[in-house]
Amino acid sequence: MGNFANKNLTDWHQLVESELKGGSSEDLIWDTPEEISIKPLYTAADLEGLEMSGQMPGFAPFSRGVRATMYANRPWTIRQYAGFATAQESNAFYKRNLAGGQKGLSVAFDLATHRGYDSDHPRVHGDVGKAGVAIDTVEDMKILFDGIPLNNVSVSMTMNGAVLPVLAAFIVAAEEQGCSKELLSGTIQNDILKEFMVRNTYIYPPAPSMRIVADIISYTAVEMPKFNSISISGYHMQEAGANLVQELAFTLANGKEYVSTAVNNGLDVDKFAPRLSFFFCVGMNFFMEVAKLRAARSLWARLMSDFHPKDPRSLMLRTHVQTSGVSITEQDPYNNVIRTAYEAMAAVLGGTQSLHTNALDEAVALPSDFSARIARNTQLILSEETGITKVVDPLGGSYYIESLTASMEQEALKLIKKIDEMGGMTEAVANGMPKLMIEETAARRQARIDRGEEVIVGVNRYKNNDDDMPELLSIDNTAVREAQIQRTETIRKNRNKKEWMSAVDALTRGAENKENLLALSIEAMRQRATVGEVSEALEKVFTRYSATTRSVSGIYGSAYKKDAEFNDIQNKIKSFLNEEGRRPRMLVVKLGQDGHDRGAKIIATAFADIGFDVDIGPLFQTPEEAAREAIENDVHVIGVSSLAAGHNTLVPELINMLQEFNANEILVVCGGVIPPNDYEFLKNAGVAAVFGPGTNIPSAATKVIELIRQRSKAA
Amino acid sequence: METQYSNEDDIYSLDIESLLSGNRRSLARSITLIESSRFDHRDLAENLLSRIMPRTGGAIRIGISGPPGVGKSTFIESFGLYLSNKNLKIAVLTIDPSSKRSGGSILGDKTRMPKLAQLENAFIRSSPAGLTLGGVARRTRETILLCESAGYDVVIVETVGVGQSEYAVADMVDMFVLLVQPGGGDDLQGIKRGVMELADLIIVTKSDGDLKHSAQRTAQDFRSALSFLRNESDDWVPKVIPCSALNSEGIEEAWKIMQLFHSKLNTSGGLARKRGSQASSWMWAEVQETLVGRLRESQSAKKLAQKLESDVINGLVAPGVAARHLLNAFLADD
Ligand code: B12
Ligand SMILES: Nc1nc2c(ncn2[C@@H]2O[C@H](COP(=O)(O)OP(=O)(O)OP(=O)(O)O)[C@@H](O)[C@H]2O)c(=O)[nH]1
Ligand SMILES: [Mg+2]
């Protein structure tokens, strides 16, 4: 047996210098987007002074996990987020998934429902059933859960804006199915602050929205003991571009804000805090994601201590995780299975309670049966074949992980303090600071990707020229919309007018006073009011919120200082300016209820940095409104950014409107999530170019300039 | 595919009838022409302006300024809706001189008026700021004329109150309205004395909810501050009112004050004098700019200028002497 001498850090540094032929370990430091410097080696020295020693899973502050046994006793819940088209179709999909080994349900609603519009509302006719399931009344909700025993299957619902009518419909549907509300288990997202920051399905202004959150927390605290009243979500922040420290800090700061709101409303913290749940994203930065989840738990426990709970469960951060959709690429789509598997593993090593894994085709469509099966199996294999479940917190004690956990906690706490100084998250959100910080981070990342500094296999490196995309799910929204309208019409006709009217009026009055709005919504939905009617009854008092758009500038361009190719495009724009008498001017629009604004904002800021004059349209425009804005500002081109599948309906309408206004020399280009099969259709409708996921922005800008020139030559 | 325009230059040989009849598209295209930096476009633009001149002058021209976030866009939206209900046509021109730039700009995000934007009676245009404030001012002035010729009754020019932009705007409108925040009345929010002197009306925004009281107090503070500023012999004594665009309170009063202002100055002849003097200073500004522009472009002057500039830098020639020398040479050449 060999006998090896003990070596220390000094020895290692020496060896490093010789391996690097004169360099030092400093050269190997990785500065992450979080501005955390990761060293090439961690040792026991890095753990000195950290409070980790002696910590046990199941005990506060829970960095090693919220339960003593974690997956050794029971694995995480496989909970796949899904919903599309009509309630019937989604119901059938859910049943197939449950049969295939999924454990809990997670409902994705369509954007009309999210924004509190019925399927027959004129502002939503491109959105019905497209990016989730359309729900107008209790009858739809009953169909959605037909044959699914709600006292057994836990249901998570991503609903924030129209949370009152939708949660109410769920409660009434369960009741009419024979399951009383005390028995319902699951989660309602009900996290409105992050809607104003990144998800964009708000309806009312912040103050009344916060009141709705509080009403739901108080109602469920008494009436629905097994139901999580809120899911405080960082997931959407990371998907919108936040780095991991921002995601962590803003999420916990939001959590703090909800707890204060409820406590200020007179609720005992132990009555609701154990029913708060969290939701994070896990992306490709493997170890940092593990550390983030561990840090989230211990930081939350510390923050909650300030509210002096007596029940230790009030200190506990339980979370759901979804792997990162942004890491999913259209190019070389089978790579996505691999990415998702790594992300799933990080989520599990981080100790999540439930998990959604993305499907390989999600950069261009909702999952098909095939891609959903692979996504589910990714978890089943991890859970049942790898043995990863057998040991609690297997990375605990790792020099790197423990040290990184501590750094994440420290950095996040700094940002939380900053928000406290601003007067809390409601203030910070109103002021727009978190949104702007996230957009800045997103712009920086886009520049790194476009410059090839951050590798994405199949997109900016190791490209595969014949990407074979499996067959995609496609939804006929006209059919869905017509079916919805018909069913809802029948319900409107057959309900008891008097009871219905008085329940809806009671809601408006309740909004003026201080009555619990969930209780009143349940009554209204029971009387067969629609999601749209309930939302409108409240809107009369609360008004509908329209956000002020703020945008970053200079961040994208500064990454390109002294870049020859970039200068080249800027010169093209200079000669354009000389020849045309003005810069190329583009209006970036979002049509319909699609609230994905990350791509639109990045395009706007990057094109402006390149030298375009860029108008940014507001969210939720109709084709007619967009056409008018384009005309009044006399832009050369409208760039539609479409992610929620409304393009085939809305873009041809936009082009028609331009023609009607006699403005057909205004070009229309399209970007975003456009399935390959739709390119032809859009081009035939008059779209000059389509720029899908993975688009390199400087090349897109060059192309747009060319198109404008061609158009003005042809004109 | 396009039938209307047969070649590049024809894009700008606009159908004047269509502009005068209030066609949205024609107005928008005319503004583009006015804003164009191309020389030949300038000729076309001047031709257009001469032809519409008889149809201009009919609007009430209002400038609105104030610090970022004070509530300009919200006020204009609410005000515009009110005017539209009275069957008035309203044009809103927004310029953002804060983005003096060498590159492109982001437009429209600070001037969002979603409801107004949908009305048949409204027209909203945001313009990128050029490199010089003078440039912005020239184009905006001419754009006001275009809007008038297209039949707009009220033309509002919105600008963020930074730099010297208030002066430029005040010099092209009939009435200059300054928006201020409630609170912080003590130091009058660090508003430059000069800017306050420009104001014909000060509106304290956000006079609702928790801020209502503070808005009223702020209005009082401004009233007393103003009483030291203006002399009573003027045609108009500036007014201060609180207003809530959110609850549409104070909107009607603002309009009444503007009408009063207009009729008072109309009868006194003050309005004609004001527009007259604006026009003449505009003419001189044009002379100055064009002269300098031509001089900078002239090849022969350029060489001389370079030499003189370096002489001035090196202290060989006095700047005044060099300037006169350059001008004389340029004028003789021309
Ligand atoms: C990020 C994201 C979100 C974030 C959005 C954050 C935000 N503020 O934008 C969050 C998590 C909030 C979110 C929510 C939802 N999402 Co989402 N989301 C995505 C995701 C993962 C990435 C999109 C993205 O931002 N990519 C990064 C940006 C930079 O890329 P990009 O937008 O594609 O833009 C690039 C190009 O397309 C092009 N481009 C785009 N626009 C333009 C315009 C012009 C003029 C030009 C030249 C170029 C151009 O250039 C850009 C640079 O390369 C996609 C899946 C995917 N991988 O694409 C799903 C996806 C778009 N989402 C989807 C859905 C269904 C939703 C929800 C509706 C779910 C629900 N039912 O509740 C919600 C509701 C959101 C809402 N309000 O509309 C579906 C849409 C399905 C469909 N189209 O059929 C997708 C495709 C995922 C999926 N398969 O399920 N989402
Ligand atoms: N309570 C209240 N808030 C208002 C009122 N008017 C504007 N606000 C709010 O003040 C903020 C700024 O309003 P804007 O109209 O965008 O202000 P602005 O002066 O145009 O801002 P910039 O264009 O960015 O300079 C928004 O959040 C508005 O909702 C009002 O009358 N009452
Ligand atoms: Mg504004």
Side-chain angles (χ1 to χ4, degrees), chain A residues 82-156:
Chain A
F84 58 92
T86 59
Q88 282 94 336
E89 284 170 87
S90 292
N91 172 265
F93 190 75
Y94 295 161
K95 284 181 177 156
R96 290 198 294 277
N97 292 344
L98 289 169
Q102 180 174 322
K103 288 291 180 284
L105 290 180
S106 173
V107 182
F109 295 97
D110 74 356
L111 284 163
T113 310
H114 271 298
R115 299 260 303 141
Y117 294 116
D118 287 335
S119 301
D120 56 0
H121 196 284
R123 295 197 79 90
V124 303
H125 74 290
D127 298 301
V128 177
K130 267 297 193 188
V133 59
I135 298 290
D136 292 322
T137 65
V138 164
E139 297 302 333
D140 295 335
M141 201 62 109
K142 282 165 78 175
I143 297 170
L144 189 65
F145 295 111
D146 183 52
I148 298 172
L150 291 175
N151 49 358
N152 265 332
V153 177
S154 79
V155 176
S156 156

Side-chain angles (χ1 to χ4, degrees), chain A residues 548 550, chain B residues 67-74 110 158 206 208 244-246:
Chain A
T548 359
R550 311 248 171 243
Chain B
V70 66
K72 295 179 291 296
S73 305
T74 316
K110 292 202 184 104
E158 180 194 353
K206 307 182 190 178
D208 47 49
S244 165
L246 215 61

Side-chain angles (χ1 to χ4, degrees), chain A residues 514-533:
Chain A
K514 293 272 163 256
E515 283 167 81
N516 189 294
L517 293 175
L518 180 54
L520 292 172
S521 303
I522 292 174
E523 190 45 35
M525 293 310 281
R526 191 178 283 125
Q527 297 306 333
R528 297 306 188 260
T530 64
V531 168
E533 290 160 356

Side-chain angles (χ1 to χ4, degrees), chain A residues 93-228:
Chain A
F93 190 75
Y94 295 161
K95 284 181 177 156
R96 290 198 294 277
N97 292 344
L98 289 169
Q102 180 174 322
K103 288 291 180 284
L105 290 180
S106 173
V107 182
F109 295 97
D110 74 356
L111 284 163
T113 310
H114 271 298
R115 299 260 303 141
Y117 294 116
D118 287 335
S119 301
D120 56 0
H121 196 284
R123 295 197 79 90
V124 303
H125 74 290
D127 298 301
V128 177
K130 267 297 193 188
V133 59
I135 298 290
D136 292 322
T137 65
V138 164
E139 297 302 333
D140 295 335
M141 201 62 109
K142 282 165 78 175
I143 297 170
L144 189 65
F145 295 111
D146 183 52
I148 298 172
L150 291 175
N151 49 358
N152 265 332
V153 177
S154 79
V155 176
S156 156
M157 282 180 289
T158 298
M159 181 48 68
N160 304 274
V163 61
L164 286 169
V166 168
L167 181 55
F170 176 68
I171 292 169
V172 176
E175 181 183 288
E176 296 183 7
Q177 196 195 69
C179 169
S180 66
K181 54 182 181 281
E182 307 82 62
L183 298 178
L184 289 172
S185 68
T187 306
I188 184 86
Q189 196 163 78
N190 193 27
D191 170 8
I192 202 70
L193 287 169
K194 66 91 177 55
E195 295 294 330
F196 293 111
M197 290 163 62
V198 288
R199 193 167 172 278
N200 298 327
T201 67
Y202 43 74
I203 302 177
Y204 315 109
S209 297
M210 284 300 277
R211 166 186 168 189
I212 292 172
V213 172
D215 277 4
I216 289 170
I217 294 179
S218 359
Y219 184 92
T220 51
V222 180
E223 306 282 339
M224 300 166 73
K226 293 169 67 183
F227 205 76
N228 297 323

